[in-house]
Amino acid sequence: RFGGQKVNAGEIIIRQKGLWYRAGNNVHLGKDWTLHADCEGVVKFSQKRLLKFDGKREKETFVHIEPVAA
């Protein structure tokens, strides 16, 4: 899915092998690294610097779902 697209609860957002993208708000990670939407809403991407185990800080991309106001 692209940023700004609408998704329903349970839909696949991204299929991946490994953690290229990380789960953000209202997104969960499947056992095969697939990202799924927890609720209906709009896909958003953000980047954040995370501290790695070796002390390096690297940018990681997070995928979020902004819920639709009912």
Side-chain angles (χ1 to χ4, degrees), residues 6 10-11 13-14 18 22 25 28 31 34 38-39 41 44 47 56-57 60-61 65-66 68-69:
K6 288 187 176 183
E11 281 189 13
I13 303 169
I14 295 176
R22 294 186 177 252
N25 298 332
H28 71 272
K31 69 178 186 178
T34 301
D38 284 340
C39 64
K44 298 286 181 186
Q47 288 191 336
K56 292 183 187 177
R57 289 193 180 273
E60 295 290 337
T61 303
I65 300 294
E66 285 190 2
V68 175

Side-chain angles (χ1 to χ4, degrees), residues 4-41:
Q5 275 190 315
K6 288 187 176 183
V7 293
N8 294 320
E11 281 189 13
I12 294 173
I13 303 169
I14 295 176
R15 284 190 168 275
Q16 60 184 355
K17 290 294 179 190
L19 281 178
W20 290 94
Y21 297 94
R22 294 186 177 252
N25 298 332
N26 300 316
V27 175
H28 71 272
L29 186 69
K31 69 178 186 178
D32 63 348
W33 297 293
T34 301
L35 296 176
H36 299 272
D38 284 340
C39 64
E40 183 179 345

Side-chain angles (χ1 to χ4, degrees), residues 39-55:
C39 64
E40 183 179 345
V42 178
V43 178
K44 298 286 181 186
F45 291 90
S46 68
Q47 288 191 336
K48 185 178 177 182
R49 290 193 179 270
L50 289 182
L51 185 64
K52 299 290 186 166
F53 68 94
D54 59 359

